[in-house]
PDB file of all heavy atoms in Angstrom:
ATOM      1  N   ASN A1403      14.568 162.954 130.930  1.00 47.00           N
ATOM      2  CA  ASN A1403      14.195 161.608 130.529  1.00 47.00           C
ATOM      3  C   ASN A1403      15.282 161.107 129.586  1.00 47.00           C
ATOM      4  O   ASN A1403      15.360 161.522 128.441  1.00 47.00           O
ATOM      5  CB  ASN A1403      12.831 161.612 129.846  1.00 47.00           C
ATOM      6  CG  ASN A1403      12.337 160.209 129.569  1.00 47.00           C
ATOM      7  OD1 ASN A1403      13.111 159.252 129.578  1.00 47.00           O
ATOM      8  ND2 ASN A1403      11.052 160.086 129.314  1.00 47.00           N
ATOM      9  N   ILE A1404      16.108 160.196 130.096  1.00 46.00           N
ATOM     10  CA  ILE A1404      17.238 159.673 129.316  1.00 46.00           C
ATOM     11  C   ILE A1404      16.758 159.069 128.001  1.00 46.00           C
ATOM     12  O   ILE A1404      17.464 159.071 127.012  1.00 46.00           O
ATOM     13  CB  ILE A1404      18.032 158.634 130.139  1.00 46.00           C
ATOM     14  CG1 ILE A1404      18.705 159.295 131.327  1.00 46.00           C
ATOM     15  CG2 ILE A1404      19.049 157.896 129.311  1.00 46.00           C
ATOM     16  CD1 ILE A1404      19.871 160.178 131.001  1.00 46.00           C
ATOM     17  N   GLN A1405      15.521 158.575 127.965  1.00 52.00           N
ATOM     18  CA  GLN A1405      15.021 157.959 126.735  1.00 52.00           C
ATOM     19  C   GLN A1405      14.742 159.004 125.653  1.00 52.00           C
ATOM     20  O   GLN A1405      14.774 158.697 124.479  1.00 52.00           O
ATOM     21  CB  GLN A1405      13.767 157.144 127.028  1.00 52.00           C
ATOM     22  CG  GLN A1405      14.058 155.962 127.932  1.00 52.00           C
ATOM     23  CD  GLN A1405      12.802 155.222 128.346  1.00 52.00           C
ATOM     24  OE1 GLN A1405      11.695 155.750 128.270  1.00 52.00           O
ATOM     25  NE2 GLN A1405      12.975 153.998 128.776  1.00 52.00           N
ATOM     26  N   ASP A1406      14.467 160.241 126.059  1.00 63.00           N
ATOM     27  CA  ASP A1406      14.158 161.285 125.080  1.00 63.00           C
ATOM     28  C   ASP A1406      15.414 161.839 124.411  1.00 63.00           C
ATOM     29  O   ASP A1406      15.409 162.153 123.233  1.00 63.00           O
ATOM     30  CB  ASP A1406      13.394 162.440 125.739  1.00 63.00           C
ATOM     31  CG  ASP A1406      11.992 162.013 126.151  1.00 63.00           C
ATOM     32  OD1 ASP A1406      11.477 161.028 125.604  1.00 63.00           O
ATOM     33  OD2 ASP A1406      11.435 162.685 127.021  1.00 63.00           O
ATOM     34  N   GLU A1407      16.454 162.020 125.192  1.00 91.00           N
ATOM     35  CA  GLU A1407      17.705 162.548 124.670  1.00 91.00           C
ATOM     36  C   GLU A1407      18.845 161.728 125.245  1.00 91.00           C
ATOM     37  O   GLU A1407      18.784 161.268 126.376  1.00 91.00           O
ATOM     38  CB  GLU A1407      17.881 164.018 125.061  1.00 91.00           C
ATOM     39  CG  GLU A1407      16.878 164.943 124.409  1.00 91.00           C
ATOM     40  CD  GLU A1407      17.174 166.397 124.722  1.00 91.00           C
ATOM     41  OE1 GLU A1407      17.353 166.716 125.909  1.00 91.00           O
ATOM     42  OE2 GLU A1407      17.240 167.182 123.770  1.00 91.00           O
ATOM     43  N   THR A1408      19.894 161.604 124.486  1.00 96.00           N
ATOM     44  CA  THR A1408      21.033 160.829 124.963  1.00 96.00           C
ATOM     45  C   THR A1408      21.816 161.619 126.009  1.00 96.00           C
ATOM     46  O   THR A1408      21.766 162.856 126.032  1.00 96.00           O
ATOM     47  CB  THR A1408      21.979 160.492 123.800  1.00 96.00           C
ATOM     48  OG1 THR A1408      22.560 161.718 123.314  1.00 96.00           O
ATOM     49  CG2 THR A1408      21.274 159.751 122.674  1.00 96.00           C
ATOM     50  N   PRO A1409      22.572 160.925 126.854  1.00 97.00           N
ATOM     51  CA  PRO A1409      23.443 161.634 127.795  1.00 97.00           C
ATOM     52  C   PRO A1409      24.415 162.568 127.073  1.00 97.00           C
ATOM     53  O   PRO A1409      24.743 163.639 127.579  1.00 97.00           O
ATOM     54  CB  PRO A1409      24.180 160.500 128.516  1.00 97.00           C
ATOM     55  CG  PRO A1409      23.242 159.345 128.434  1.00 97.00           C
ATOM     56  CD  PRO A1409      22.559 159.492 127.093  1.00 97.00           C
ATOM     57  N   TYR A1410      24.834 162.185 125.881  1.00 97.00           N
ATOM     58  CA  TYR A1410      25.730 163.029 125.079  1.00 97.00           C
ATOM     59  C   TYR A1410      25.083 164.393 124.821  1.00 97.00           C
ATOM     60  O   TYR A1410      25.697 165.439 125.032  1.00 97.00           O
ATOM     61  CB  TYR A1410      26.040 162.314 123.761  1.00 97.00           C
ATOM     62  CG  TYR A1410      26.931 163.071 122.804  1.00 97.00           C
ATOM     63  CD1 TYR A1410      28.313 162.988 122.919  1.00 97.00           C
ATOM     64  CD2 TYR A1410      26.401 163.838 121.776  1.00 97.00           C
ATOM     65  CE1 TYR A1410      29.148 163.663 122.034  1.00 97.00           C
ATOM     66  CE2 TYR A1410      27.215 164.518 120.890  1.00 97.00           C
ATOM     67  CZ  TYR A1410      28.591 164.429 121.021  1.00 97.00           C
ATOM     68  OH  TYR A1410      29.416 165.093 120.151  1.00 97.00           O
ATOM     69  N   VAL A1411      23.844 164.388 124.382  1.00 96.00           N
ATOM     70  CA  VAL A1411      23.119 165.630 124.107  1.00 96.00           C
ATOM     71  C   VAL A1411      22.851 166.384 125.399  1.00 96.00           C
ATOM     72  O   VAL A1411      23.053 167.601 125.481  1.00 96.00           O
ATOM     73  CB  VAL A1411      21.800 165.332 123.353  1.00 96.00           C
ATOM     74  CG1 VAL A1411      20.906 166.564 123.280  1.00 96.00           C
ATOM     75  CG2 VAL A1411      22.088 164.792 121.957  1.00 96.00           C
ATOM     76  N   LEU A1412      22.406 165.671 126.430  1.00 96.00           N
ATOM     77  CA  LEU A1412      22.077 166.316 127.700  1.00 96.00           C
ATOM     78  C   LEU A1412      23.305 166.945 128.354  1.00 96.00           C
ATOM     79  O   LEU A1412      23.191 167.973 129.021  1.00 96.00           O
ATOM     80  CB  LEU A1412      21.434 165.303 128.649  1.00 96.00           C
ATOM     81  CG  LEU A1412      20.061 164.796 128.196  1.00 96.00           C
ATOM     82  CD1 LEU A1412      19.641 163.612 129.043  1.00 96.00           C
ATOM     83  CD2 LEU A1412      19.030 165.911 128.249  1.00 96.00           C
ATOM     84  N   LEU A1413      24.466 166.346 128.157  1.00 97.00           N
ATOM     85  CA  LEU A1413      25.693 166.904 128.712  1.00 97.00           C
ATOM     86  C   LEU A1413      26.106 168.175 127.977  1.00 97.00           C
ATOM     87  O   LEU A1413      26.700 169.071 128.558  1.00 97.00           O
ATOM     88  CB  LEU A1413      26.818 165.867 128.645  1.00 97.00           C
ATOM     89  CG  LEU A1413      28.144 166.246 129.290  1.00 97.00           C
ATOM     90  CD1 LEU A1413      27.965 166.515 130.786  1.00 97.00           C
ATOM     91  CD2 LEU A1413      29.167 165.141 129.085  1.00 97.00           C
ATOM     92  N   GLY A1414      25.790 168.239 126.684  1.00 96.00           N
ATOM     93  CA  GLY A1414      26.132 169.430 125.907  1.00 96.00           C
ATOM     94  C   GLY A1414      26.917 169.127 124.649  1.00 96.00           C
ATOM     95  O   GLY A1414      27.497 170.027 124.045  1.00 96.00           O
ATOM     96  N   GLY A1415      26.979 167.840 124.271  1.00 96.00           N
ATOM     97  CA  GLY A1415      27.614 167.478 123.012  1.00 96.00           C
ATOM     98  C   GLY A1415      29.129 167.487 123.046  1.00 96.00           C
ATOM     99  O   GLY A1415      29.758 167.400 124.102  1.00 96.00           O
TER     100      GLY A1415
END
Side-chain angles (χ1 to χ4, degrees):
N1403 187 342
I1404 294 288
Q1405 295 174 341
D1406 291 339
E1407 293 185 310
T1408 66
Y1410 179 86
V1411 170
L1412 294 169
L1413 185 61

